[in-house]
Amino acid sequence: DVKVTQSSRYLVKRTGEKVFLECVQDMDHENMFWYRQDPGLGLRLIYFSYDVKMKEKGDIPEGYSVSREKKERFSLILESASTNQTSMYLCASGPGTGDSTEAFFGQGTRLTVV
Amino acid sequence: GQNIDQPTEMTATEGAIVQINCTYQTSGFNGLFWYQQHAGEAPTFLSYNVLDGLEEKGRFSSFLSRSKGYSYLLLKELQMKDSASYLCAVKDSNYQLIWGAGTKLIIKP
């Protein structure tokens, strides 16, 4: 089975802190994604990556950055956490850009910024 | 802009059938996905449609009409464990997934 693992299930951070969310996948997928999920809204894409050291902005990249130094690992960085970044963060991976490619999700990190 | 619409919440009875609708307006179409998400857990893949018609997979079926920009997920013989949110997503012309807000399905005994 494909496994996508996020480093933390729950995090509480203070305003202004630098926050790292880590994601690792074990299926040699090219594509990796970071989403945030808020009540009443669909999954919103923050950043994605199609290859090592490659990154593309999604729909809401402001306040975030990413790093992909190795194929299996995709990190999301909140440079200076703010309360409006309190959310559920979901990492996903997928094998390619073909039509039927489904995304496999990690268990999510619920981040609270106080 | 791109838009995916689903009902916010639905209630159904154990053993019954429920249909969850999804309408979409996207720049291009490269397939429609349904995911299931239990509270506090990750979304898991249920089905994929790219051609018009019905795809059946056990108790779950998914239908697509590209001309109408419409899909539905049909759940038969409902079980309590089917209580979850159901997410509709469309791949647009850039192969990016556009997500609906999800439909929370409540199953009552």
Side-chain angles (χ1 to χ4, degrees), chain A residues 41-105:
Chain A
L41 301 176
L43 290 170
R44 292 183 291 167
L45 183 63
I46 304 171
Y47 268 97
F48 61 99
S49 170
Y50 288 146
D51 203 349
V52 176
K53 295 192 186 294
M54 178 273 181
K55 58 187 177 185
E56 294 284 345
K57 292 180 179 178
D59 300 318
I60 51 164
E62 296 79 18
Y64 304 94
S65 62
V66 290
S67 172
R68 193 165 181 200
E69 295 297 317
K70 294 184 178 181
K71 192 173 186 179
E72 67 271 18
R73 186 180 296 271
F74 192 35
S75 302
L76 179 70
I77 304 151
L78 286 66
E79 297 291 341
S80 178
S82 63
T83 54
N84 64 11
Q85 292 178 310
T86 292
S87 186
M88 170 69 87
Y89 290 87
L90 288 164
C91 173
S93 74
T97 56
D99 291 354
S100 64
T101 304
E102 69 208 65
F104 298 87
F105 285 87

Side-chain angles (χ1 to χ4, degrees), chain A residues 9 37 50 97 99 101 103 106, chain B residues 35 37 40 42 48 91 95-96:
Chain A
R9 288 296 300 268
Q37 187 176 32
Y50 288 146
T97 56
D99 291 354
T101 304
Chain B
Y35 280 76
Q37 185 178 24
Y48 168 75
K91 271 200 176 178
Y95 293 94
Q96 291 301 321

Side-chain angles (χ1 to χ4, degrees), chain B:
Chain B
Q2 307 202 88
N3 197 48
I4 309 280
D5 284 318
Q6 311 177 230
T8 303
E9 187 174 297
M10 299 181 72
T11 302
T13 304
E14 190 177 16
I17 299 173
V18 70
Q19 177 176 311
I20 302 174
N21 296 325
C22 170
T23 58
Y24 62 89
Q25 291 177 304
T26 56
S27 57
F29 178 84
N30 280 303
L32 185 142
F33 295 78
W34 284 97
Y35 280 76
Q36 180 189 60
Q37 185 178 24
H38 285 100
E41 297 183 11
T44 55
F45 171 76
L46 284 178
S47 69
Y48 168 75
N49 294 71
V50 67
L51 300 176
D52 289 352
L54 190 68
E55 295 281 342
E56 297 187 77
K57 200 185 281 188
R59 294 189 298 114
F60 292 8
S61 303
S62 56
F63 171 83
L64 175 67
S65 168
R66 287 172 297 170
S67 62
K68 295 182 178 178
Y70 168 70
S71 173
Y72 67 73
L73 181 69
L74 191 72
L75 292 75
K76 301 176 185 177
E77 301 170 14
L78 285 170
Q79 302 174 10
M80 297 303 293
K81 68 179 182 179
D82 297 329
S83 292
S85 289
Y86 291 86
L87 312 180
C88 174
V90 171
K91 271 200 176 178
D92 67 10
S93 57
N94 295 320
Y95 293 94
Q96 291 301 321
L97 279 170
I98 311 300
W99 294 85
T103 299
K104 183 177 180 180
L105 178 63
I106 299 167
I107 310 296
K108 295 186 174 179

